């Protein structure tokens, strides 16, 4: 008989709605698992047990009222989840992964948290991340690194590595993440999960740290496409003061509706080679990409290999904007001394970025989006690439505290496919289809036109249904 954490989030929500399971019992199940397993894993920075039980009790009361009145609640009503500790939850510890903010407490709910409350979800806790979500691993000065549930010597990726590890290990059925350069999709690939990065403006970034560059968006991590789509639905929606807002989906409906529909026959552009100079595609990731291309063709889609030239100007533009993002955190001198070497390096880089360079970087972002629209999306519906250029790395392998510039270059070579969707604001989904000979997950990525998440989730669900594990199992934790 399956344990509660083996059920999908939507199965859990349906059981709660039908009165077969209480949110309190489900929440206690996850809190017990976190208490037993997370000391070794390091997925959570803060566990909000009292708040979770309070929210679960309220969810059960609302569910009983809804059954009596015949009203319909969110499909995730009463379902527990985890939230990345880059967003504020009122009266809950809020570190942004930095030792400088070890004891900071959230003043308010960020809009995405407000949406999750309105959907009736239950907050298990705040998940681990690297400092200010800047690197693509999950190591910081607050404590031990987050481990990959598939191999304790490996990193779960980042920056939403704590969220991904929690879901993969069965310490949450699904989790919120943020993605400014691949930070949802990278750990999704490394931990064998679905990771959805929605279109720019689909989910509000306000109110406390609105991203004027458009790089960052909130995203969803789950074991199935349908679960991840339901979480995006719960988080999505325009809020007062939003800088960007995405239009409704083509054809209407929810993203979950589209995840349950067949995609029809699509034209798919396969981009095997990285667009970053000197990045090398590992044979394991190439094999996963090749297998996905074959499967898509067998499903009736047209897959054509396309070559796009590597462009160092894109890396330079991202570096300029990303360094300014690192410098945007206001710190006292004593807090500056607590920063990780990579963060301090990026803040120093920002000091040399001129206003004209920053303006040109943002123009480059818009130019890349126009290029993809003109050259690819006029002829194709979807872009297929590897998610990462390498399998999950060893913990500490991407870090170079003595040479942060070399660390940046190393990370860029590791994740050469993901950032283009942040520059452009286009949606992308990482899908878990393969494991390499060492048993490590290896994802592939689907990218689409602006606001066309429906095509991506429909295709991703179709792809996931071809795998031996439509609902990926939780790894045996070492």
């Amino acid at each position: 008989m399956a344990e509660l954490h083996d059920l999908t989030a939507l199965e859990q929500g349906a059981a709660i709605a039908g009165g077969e399971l209480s949110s309190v019992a489900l929440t206690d199940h996850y809190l017990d698992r976190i208490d037993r397993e997370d000391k070794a894993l390091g997925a959570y920075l803060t566990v909000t047990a009292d708040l979770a039980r309070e929210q679960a009790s309220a969810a059960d009361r609302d569910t009983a009222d809804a059954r009596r009145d015949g009203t319909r609640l969110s499909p995730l009503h009463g379902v527990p989840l985890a939230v990345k500790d880059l967003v504020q939850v009122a009266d809950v510890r809020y570190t942004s992964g930095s030792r400088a903010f070890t004891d900071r407490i959230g003043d308010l709910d960020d809009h995405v948290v407000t949406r999750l409350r309105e959907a009736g979800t239950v907050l298990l806790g705040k998940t681990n991340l690297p400092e200010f979500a800047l690197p693509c691993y999950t190591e910081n000065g607050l404590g031990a690194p987050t481990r990959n549930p598939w191999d304790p010597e490996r990193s779960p990726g980042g920056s939403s590595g704590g969220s991904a590890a929690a879901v993969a290990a069965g310490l949450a059925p699904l989790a919120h993440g943020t993605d400014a350069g691949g930070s949802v999709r990278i750990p999704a690939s490394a931990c064998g999960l679905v990771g959805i990065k929605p279109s720019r403006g689909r989910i509000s970034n306000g109110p406390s740290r609105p991203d004027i560059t458009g790089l960052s968006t909130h995203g969803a991590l789950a074991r199935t496409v349908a679960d991840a789509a339901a979480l995006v639905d719960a988080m999505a929606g325009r809020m007062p003061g939003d800088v960007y807002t995405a239009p409704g989906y083509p054809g209407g409906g929810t993203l979950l509706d589209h995840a349950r529909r067949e995609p029809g026959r699509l034209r798919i552009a396969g981009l095997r080679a990285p667009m970053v100079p000197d990045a090398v595609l590992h044979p394991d990731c190439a094999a996963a990409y090749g297998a996905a291309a074959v499967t898509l063709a067998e499903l009736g889609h047209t897959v054509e290999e396309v070559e796009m030239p590597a462009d160092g100007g894109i890396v330079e533009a991202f570096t300029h904007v990303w360094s300014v993002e690192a410098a945007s955190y206001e710190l006292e001198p004593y807090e500056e001394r607590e920063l990780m070497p990579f963060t301090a390096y990026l803040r120093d880089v920002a000091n040399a970025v001129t206003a004209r360079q920053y303006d040109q970087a943002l123009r480059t972002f818009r130019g890349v989006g126009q290029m993809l629209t003109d050259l690819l999306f006029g002829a194709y519906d979807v872009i297929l690439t590897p998610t990462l250029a390498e399998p999950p790395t060893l913990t500490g392998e991407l870090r170079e505290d003595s040479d942060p510039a070399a660390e940046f270059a190393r990370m860029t070579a590791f994740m050469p496919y993901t950032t283009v969707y942040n520059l452009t604001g286009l949606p992308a989904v990482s899908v878990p289809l393969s494991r390499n000979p060492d048993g490590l997950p290896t994802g592939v990525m689907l990218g689409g036109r602006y606001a066309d998440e429906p095509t991506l989730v429909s295709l991703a669900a179709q792809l996931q249904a071809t795998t031996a594990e439509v609902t990926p199992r939780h790894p045996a934790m070492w």
Side-chain angles (χ1 to χ4, degrees), residues 402-440:
S402 62
D403 189 353
E407 177 177 322
F408 202 176
R410 177 71 181 87
M411 287 192 290
T412 300
F414 175 68
M415 44 168 276
Y417 298 96
T418 56
T419 306
V420 67
Y421 294 101
N422 302 92
L423 273 57
T424 59
L426 302 177
V429 179
S430 183
V431 189
L433 295 183
S434 303
R435 296 203 198 107
N436 72 1
D438 295 324
L440 298 173

Side-chain angles (χ1 to χ4, degrees), residues 104 124 157 173 213 281 292 437:
R104 183 175 61 171
L124 293 169
T213 69
L281 181 60

Side-chain angles (χ1 to χ4, degrees), residues 46 54 66 69 79 84 102 173 211 230 243-244 246 253 422 430:
T46 301
E54 176 185 318
D69 300 338
V79 176
K84 184 178 180 178
T102 300
D211 177 19
V243 178
Y244 302 100
N422 302 92
S430 183

Side-chain angles (χ1 to χ4, degrees), residues 286-304:
Y289 164 82
V294 169
T295 300
L296 287 166
E298 291 173 345
L299 289 168
H301 305 293
T302 300
V303 183
E304 296 180 2

Side-chain angles (χ1 to χ4, degrees), residues 283-318:
D284 293 349
C285 299
Y289 164 82
V294 169
T295 300
L296 287 166
E298 291 173 345
L299 289 168
H301 305 293
T302 300
V303 183
E304 296 180 2
E305 288 289 329
V306 177
E307 291 188 8
M308 297 287 286
D311 187 351
I314 295 176
V315 177
E316 181 181 39
F318 182 79

Side-chain angles (χ1 to χ4, degrees), residues 65-198:
D65 290 344
R67 281 200 300 272
R68 184 187 63 245
D69 300 338
T71 56
R72 191 171 181 179
L73 299 174
S74 158
L76 297 179
H77 192 90
V79 176
L81 52 70
V83 169
K84 184 178 180 178
D85 198 20
L86 194 65
V87 299
Q88 288 201 68
V89 177
D91 301 321
V92 174
R93 187 183 181 216
Y94 169 46
T95 71
S96 296
S98 178
R99 193 162 53 192
F101 298 145
T102 300
D103 299 316
R104 183 175 61 171
I105 303 297
D107 295 322
L108 49 78
D109 283 345
D110 275 324
H111 289 328
V112 67
V113 175
T114 299
R115 290 287 189 189
L116 290 172
R117 287 187 191 268
E118 290 173 349
T121 63
V122 173
L123 179 64
L124 293 169
K126 305 287 290 295
T127 55
N128 208 354
L129 70 158
E131 189 165 63
F132 304 156
L134 297 171
C136 61
Y137 49 74
T138 304
E139 303 162 37
N140 55 45
L142 292 168
T146 302
R147 305 289 178 176
N148 191 316
W150 293 95
D151 181 346
E153 301 301 316
R154 302 277 170 175
S155 170
S159 63
S160 305
S163 290
V167 175
L171 306 189
L174 70 179
H176 154 275
T178 64
D179 192 316
S183 290
V184 163
R185 293 157 289 150
I186 293 164
S189 180
C191 293
L193 302 175
V194 175
I196 299 180
K197 174 218 168 289

Side-chain angles (χ1 to χ4, degrees), residues 153-443:
E153 301 301 316
R154 302 277 170 175
S155 170
S159 63
S160 305
S163 290
V167 175
L171 306 189
L174 70 179
H176 154 275
T178 64
D179 192 316
S183 290
V184 163
R185 293 157 289 150
I186 293 164
S189 180
C191 293
L193 302 175
V194 175
I196 299 180
K197 174 218 168 289
S199 295
R200 180 176 294 157
R202 180 68 63 203
I203 301 170
S204 174
N205 268 330
S208 56
R209 282 190 61 85
D211 177 19
I212 60 172
T213 69
L215 280 177
S216 184
T217 182
H218 302 281
L221 288 150
R223 287 187 296 147
T224 70
V225 175
D227 279 0
L231 181 53
V232 172
D233 285 337
M235 296 187 291
R238 182 176 182 175
M239 297 292 278
D242 282 352
V243 178
Y244 302 100
T245 55
Y249 298 128
T254 67
L255 201 57
L256 177 57
D257 292 335
H258 290 281
R260 290 168 168 167
R261 295 173 184 168
E262 290 295 312
R265 291 192 174 187
L266 300 174
R267 300 161 299 169
I268 300 171
L271 294 181
R272 183 184 185 281
M275 292 177 64
V276 171
D278 302 322
V280 177
L281 181 60
H282 190 282
D284 293 349
C285 299
Y289 164 82
V294 169
T295 300
L296 287 166
E298 291 173 345
L299 289 168
H301 305 293
T302 300
V303 183
E304 296 180 2
E305 288 289 329
V306 177
E307 291 188 8
M308 297 287 286
D311 187 351
I314 295 176
V315 177
E316 181 181 39
F318 182 79
T319 302
H320 285 157
V321 175
W322 201 228
S323 66
V324 173
E325 169 64 17
S328 69
Y329 287 83
E330 296 183 7
L331 300 170
E332 298 294 336
Y334 74 91
E335 293 172 325
E336 289 269 4
R337 293 191 290 270
E338 298 292 334
L339 296 179
M340 301 288 286
F342 182 70
T343 306
Y345 160 76
L346 283 182
R347 290 166 72 89
D348 286 342
V349 170
N351 291 332
V353 176
T354 68
R356 287 183 176 177
Q357 287 175 318
Y358 191 77
D359 175 74
Q360 184 55 50
L362 295 179
R363 291 176 185 273
T364 297
F365 293 178
R366 304 303 181 266
V368 173
Q370 192 65 55
M371 176 189 67
L372 291 180
T373 298
D374 293 343
L375 296 183
L376 290 181
F377 287 123
Y380 300 99
D381 302 300
V382 172
I383 298 172
L384 169 70
T385 67
T387 304
L388 297 171
E390 303 173 35
T393 59
L394 294 169
T395 298
E397 183 179 339
L398 296 178
R399 278 180 61 182
E400 192 70 50
D401 287 353
S402 62
D403 189 353
E407 177 177 322
F408 202 176
R410 177 71 181 87
M411 287 192 290
T412 300
F414 175 68
M415 44 168 276
Y417 298 96
T418 56
T419 306
V420 67
Y421 294 101
N422 302 92
L423 273 57
T424 59
L426 302 177
V429 179
S430 183
V431 189
L433 295 183
S434 303
R435 296 203 198 107
N436 72 1
D438 295 324
L440 298 173
T442 310

